[in-house]
Amino acid sequence: MNGVPEDLIVYEIALVVPKRNLNEENKGYDCVEVLVNEFRNVGLIVERVLGLSDEFIKLAAPLETLGRVAAKMQMKKTTHIGIDLQFEWEEIKAFVRQPDGSLFSWCERFQCYRHLIYKIVNKKNSDVTLKFDGKEIQWEAGKSLLQRLELEGIVKQVFPLHDEIKRKKLLRSWALNWWDFTAQPIDEIYAYFGTKIAVYFAFLGMYTRWMIFPATFGLILQLIDFGSLKLLVFPAFFISIVLWAVLFFQFWKRKNSALSARWHLNFSVSTSEGYKLSGREWNSLQPPLELVKNSGIDKTKEKEALQRYEWFGYLKRFRNDVIIILSIICLQLPFELAYAHLYEVLKSDMVKFGLTVVYLLVIQYFTKIGGKISIRLIKHENNENTEYQADSLVYKVFGLYFMQSYIGVFYHALLHRNFMTLRQVLIQRLILYEVLENLVENSLPYLKYSYKKYRAVRNKKKREKGLIGKIQFATRVEKEYLKPTYSASISEELEDGLFDDFLELALQFGMIMMFACAFPLAFAFSALNNIAEMRTDALKLLAMLRRPVPRAAATIGAWLNIFQEGKWKIEPGLAAILVMEHVLLLIKFGFSRFVPEEPAWVRAKRMKNATQAQDMCSKQLLRTISGREKAFGGYIRRKKPDGTNKTQSCRNQ
């Protein structure tokens, strides 16, 4: 099977198509048969599996197939001399391997798979007529076959598959390993799930370990009566917490950089700021590459086009931010204040409970509407890539959750100054809410999976009424297909389940930082919750959900800025200063985003020159690194046909 031993084949991608009865005479024109043949023609290994109601096409790719498509995509990888160069299969020895020994990371392999399956196009000059259950489908010239079948509903889904050997190993060493508390196999998580999820668990583990100090300090304050020394101990506690937060984020940035270096995520200038060739992502705060090429003859027109595109992009983003901020102030803030006031003045616990139920139902609906509006606005922004779109969504939607989570606490702390009620609210948010959230977060996927299994079995019995006995799922791929996806509660377009996981941490961090002195035990409760969160999130990803689509972001993105806002202890006397300071910070942040330090045309020219300079000697460097030739002091020594040496400068190539 393509020269790969059967026991070494790892199927990583699956497609779902309806199960049907196929006649031999129509087999050559059947669209699914054509698709499978095209997969084999591009070098993929294909296995077809029949389920209860669908057929599953599993795909694997030999290393050579992945390597050649990576070279075709002009994928850049780190070499042994630390420079990112375009990958070439013939110079494979020049490139650094991953921590697990593989040549390509999971994120890179997934990109190669997508390129292979979606770039199968009709190379003929005319349309090709395909059939599916008697229906004719026109495959237009130059169009993708897989996209055409997705539009027709024939290919239902394309999703990554779990690797059973690696999955079970991670279950034993990570999800079910409670004895190590915060220890996690981060490199294995990166190799299996990709960069973004690995960075999340690295952040969660470090955050939980660092929380041991404030948790211990808070327990001491809670258990020991310091008497008159409270006037000294509590300010010392608050100052130490602020210093703890500052140091934690500084050391996290160091750890994040170390992880990026270990995983070879340090990109060169040309790729780190978005300038990429041949259809890859382009920094859309700069104009598309076509603008630069088409206007390159007239430098004045080129500069005007770049500036016009740049300023229109910033104006759109500014407009969208204003819409979101005004919506929060004019719509959500009065609603949240009304709920907090009614909760304070009502005496009956039953009425309070009913009010809270109504509030939670309304606020969930309001948050979903806000998320959908934010997504529609983001689609009209000029963002660099999908990760920048996701960051923009985080900034916009977090305002909704901030109001939802904190306005009631602020109300009790600032207006009524009722610290008994404040502590009750904090206990409710930090203990009851997080425990219930974890229960729902981990039980809901299992309930969804069980319901889908029940529906599949019921539909099978309806179609084949003579069936008796218990119907079981014989294939693992069908079980994975029935599992829920790792998706965000607000949107599946720009964010996955990491949005909800980071949101939970951000809200927790803000709560314990701003009200540390009011409830010192909050750190201890949060530390225990986070220890459980690490294992339950791991179990959820490995056992209850499909394998997530990998994301290449090397940092926690917008969440870092959100976390670093939670360093204040709210006191009534500091409220006015706090508001003024945040207004000034907002103005400063807004102008820094609205007025960039570098014009787009300067940035575009610099990126273009950097890319061209880097690509000049890339092939020669690859030959040098892989050992074909030897370089001395910037010169390349070649063998002439007569056996003598010829020395030539790389700079003159």
Side-chain angles (χ1 to χ4, degrees):
M1 192 175 286
N2 288 34
V4 181
E6 192 75 33
D7 56 343
L8 296 180
I9 296 175
V10 178
Y11 294 98
E12 298 185 294
I13 302 293
L15 288 80
V16 187
V17 297
K19 189 165 66 173
R20 67 215 183 284
N21 295 321
L22 185 63
N23 299 325
E24 286 294 329
E25 56 185 19
N26 295 327
K27 193 171 183 179
Y29 300 96
D30 182 76
C31 59
V32 177
E33 298 295 327
V34 172
L35 182 65
V36 170
N37 291 333
E38 292 290 342
F39 285 158
R40 292 193 173 107
N41 291 338
V42 297
L44 292 171
I45 302 172
V46 182
E47 180 180 342
R48 302 174 70 172
V49 178
L50 292 178
L52 295 182
S53 58
D54 297 297
E55 180 182 357
F56 301 90
I57 303 172
K58 300 196 298 181
L59 302 177
L63 180 60
E64 183 175 354
T65 300
L66 295 175
R68 295 196 180 279
V69 75
K72 187 177 180 181
M73 295 168 62
Q74 298 184 354
M75 182 181 291
K76 291 192 175 182
K77 288 183 64 62
T78 304
T79 60
H80 288 289
I81 62 173
I83 300 176
D84 290 350
L85 297 178
Q86 290 182 5
F87 181 80
E88 290 190 18
W89 173 249
E90 290 76 14
E91 312 297 340
I92 186 175
K93 293 182 180 179
F95 295 95
V96 178
R97 290 182 173 263
Q98 298 294 314
D100 64 347
S102 59
L103 180 61
F104 296 105
S105 67
W106 166 229
C107 191
E108 291 169 337
R109 295 200 308 275
F110 186 78
Q111 291 176 9
C112 292
Y113 275 111
R114 285 190 62 86
H115 188 275
L116 283 168
I117 64 179
Y118 280 98
K119 292 298 181 180
I120 296 174
V121 298
N122 181 5
K123 298 180 181 179
K124 298 181 179 179
N125 296 326
S126 59
D127 295 353
V128 175
T129 302
L130 303 175
K131 294 183 179 180
F132 183 81
D133 279 350
K135 178 183 177 182
E136 291 190 351
I137 300 169
Q138 297 299 317
W139 182 17
E140 297 88 350
K143 299 296 183 181
S144 169
L145 176 58
L146 184 54
Q147 288 182 348
R148 186 75 179 90
L149 298 183
E150 285 180 331
L151 289 174
E152 293 290 336
I154 297 171
V155 175
K156 296 181 178 180
Q157 285 191 25
V158 180
F159 62 95
L161 286 172
H162 277 290
D163 182 342
E164 278 300 288
I165 296 176
K166 293 181 179 179
R167 187 184 72 87
K168 290 179 179 178
K169 182 180 177 181
L170 281 172
L171 275 173
R172 291 191 299 268
S173 64
W174 179 34
L176 302 178
N177 185 15
W178 288 84
W179 295 106
D180 288 341
F181 292 104
T182 61
Q184 300 178 99
I186 295 297
D187 286 339
E188 287 80 359
I189 298 170
Y190 161 73
Y192 191 73
F193 288 113
T195 311
K196 189 76 173 181
I197 290 179
V199 168
Y200 162 73
F201 280 103
F203 178 83
L204 177 58
M206 183 175 174
Y207 172 52
T208 306
R209 285 192 297 273
W210 273 64
M211 200 175 281
I212 294 175
F213 164 71
T216 304
F217 204 159
L219 279 172
I220 293 173
L221 289 179
Q222 191 71 28
L223 297 177
I224 299 177
D225 185 8
F226 288 93
S228 60
L229 292 177
K230 282 185 178 181
L231 296 176
L232 295 176
V233 174
F234 274 91
F237 175 63
F238 172 66
I239 293 172
S240 65
I241 292 305
V242 173
L243 294 175
W244 168 85
V246 173
L247 287 174
F248 165 70
F249 285 111
Q250 287 302 114
F251 276 91
W252 162 248
K253 292 173 185 176
R254 289 170 57 88
K255 183 177 179 62
N256 201 171
S257 299
L259 291 175
S260 298
R262 193 161 78 214
W263 299 336
H264 313 300
L265 302 177
N266 296 323
F267 302 109
S268 59
V269 176
S270 61
T271 57
S272 65
E273 300 192 28
Y275 189 93
K276 303 180 184 179
L277 299 176
S278 69
R280 298 183 70 195
E281 290 178 350
W282 165 260
N283 183 342
S284 52
L285 288 179
Q286 306 169 31
L289 192 58
E290 291 75 11
L291 275 181
V292 180
K293 288 182 177 179
N294 295 337
S295 59
I297 299 175
D298 190 337
K299 296 297 182 182
T300 303
K301 290 184 178 179
E302 175 185 353
K303 182 177 178 180
E304 290 177 354
L306 288 164
Q307 289 180 332
R308 184 165 54 251
Y309 192 89
E310 176 189 23
W311 286 106
F312 271 121
Y314 285 114
L315 285 171
K316 289 178 181 178
R317 180 178 292 179
F318 179 75
R319 177 203 63 189
N320 294 345
D321 291 343
V322 169
I323 291 174
I324 293 296
I325 292 172
L326 290 178
S327 299
I328 292 174
I329 294 174
C330 299
L331 297 177
Q332 189 178 10
L333 181 59
F335 175 75
E336 297 287 349
L337 288 174
Y339 165 73
H341 178 70
L342 289 174
Y343 191 89
E344 181 71 26
V345 298
L346 290 174
K347 302 300 182 182
S348 173
D349 291 337
M350 290 298 296
V351 177
K352 286 184 178 181
F353 178 78
L355 178 66
T356 303
V357 171
V358 174
Y359 164 77
L360 291 175
L361 292 175
V362 174
I363 202 62
Q364 290 296 325
Y365 183 72
F366 185 83
T367 305
K368 288 183 178 179
I369 293 177
K372 291 180 179 179
I373 294 174
S374 299
I375 291 171
R376 294 190 64 178
L377 292 174
I378 289 169
K379 289 180 178 179
H380 297 285
E381 290 182 357
N382 291 337
N383 288 293
E384 297 185 12
N385 49 41
T386 305
E387 290 300 326
Y388 279 82
Q389 288 181 330
D391 286 347
S392 182
L393 179 66
V394 168
Y395 285 128
K396 290 176 173 60
V397 178
F398 182 75
L400 303 174
Y401 285 96
F402 180 87
M403 287 291 178
Q404 175 185 340
S405 300
Y406 293 133
I407 196 65
V409 185
F410 289 155
Y411 181 84
H412 296 299
L414 298 177
L415 295 182
H416 289 275
R417 303 184 186 182
N418 188 340
F419 281 90
M420 289 300 296
T421 306
L422 176 61
R423 287 193 176 189
Q424 292 176 2
V425 173
L426 290 173
I427 292 173
Q428 176 185 345
R429 297 290 176 92
L430 292 171
I431 302 177
L432 298 178
Y433 177 78
E434 290 191 351
V435 170
L436 291 175
E437 184 73 18
N438 281 332
L439 288 175
V440 172
E441 183 180 317
N442 292 280
S443 61
L444 196 59
Y446 178 76
L447 294 175
K448 288 181 178 179
Y449 171 64
S450 301
Y451 178 68
K452 286 185 177 180
K453 284 179 62 177
Y454 167 75
R455 284 186 58 187
V457 172
R458 186 186 63 182
N459 293 336
K460 178 75 172 178
K461 290 182 177 180
K462 283 184 178 180
R463 288 193 305 270
E464 303 176 20
K465 296 184 179 179
L467 286 176
I468 57 174
K470 187 177 181 180
I471 299 176
Q472 293 184 344
F473 294 89
T475 61
R476 180 176 58 84
V477 63
E478 186 169 20
K479 293 179 180 179
E480 289 195 30
Y481 171 60
L482 296 176
K483 290 180 180 179
T485 58
Y486 186 50
S487 58
S489 58
I490 55 168
S491 166
E492 297 183 10
E493 297 181 56
L494 300 177
E495 273 288 350
D496 55 19
L498 284 177
F499 175 86
D500 297 298
D501 292 330
F502 271 121
L503 175 66
E504 186 178 345
L505 286 181
L507 294 176
Q508 177 200 88
F509 181 80
M511 198 77 69
I512 61 179
M513 288 300 299
M514 288 187 288
F515 302 99
C517 290
F519 188 48
L521 275 179
F523 287 95
F525 288 129
S526 297
L528 293 174
N529 174 79
N530 292 346
I531 291 173
E533 184 81 18
M534 274 188 286
R535 307 305 169 185
T536 55
D537 282 353
L539 188 64
K540 176 181 65 178
L541 286 169
L542 290 168
M544 301 180 188
L545 300 174
R546 292 185 196 170
R547 189 177 185 180
V549 173
R551 295 172 61 185
T555 68
I556 64 175
W559 292 108
L560 183 61
N561 294 329
I562 290 174
F563 272 103
Q564 290 179 323
E565 289 296 313
K567 302 176 184 176
W568 299 95
K569 172 177 176 283
I570 302 299
E571 292 287 352
L574 295 176
I577 299 175
L578 180 63
V579 171
M580 291 175 63
E581 182 269 341
H582 272 66
V583 169
L584 292 174
L585 278 179
L586 181 63
I587 294 172
K588 179 259 181 188
F589 178 70
F591 276 112
S592 64
R593 290 187 67 193
F594 188 71
V595 183
E597 297 178 358
E598 185 180 41
W601 67 271
V602 175
R603 188 163 58 249
K605 185 176 181 180
R606 177 168 55 82
M607 293 299 102
K608 184 177 180 180
N609 293 338
T611 302
Q612 291 175 347
Q614 188 185 50
D615 293 342
M616 283 180 61
C617 292
S618 61
K619 291 187 178 181
Q620 190 62 62
L621 281 171
L622 286 176
R623 295 192 188 100
T624 304
I625 301 167
S626 59
R628 292 192 182 188
E629 299 169 357
K630 295 182 179 179
F632 298 94
Y635 290 86
I636 304 299
R637 181 160 295 179
R638 292 192 175 94
K639 289 285 186 180
K640 289 184 177 181
D642 59 0
T644 61
N645 290 330
K646 174 185 177 183
T647 304
Q648 183 176 354
S649 173
C650 181
R651 291 183 288 270
N652 297 327
Q653 297 291 313

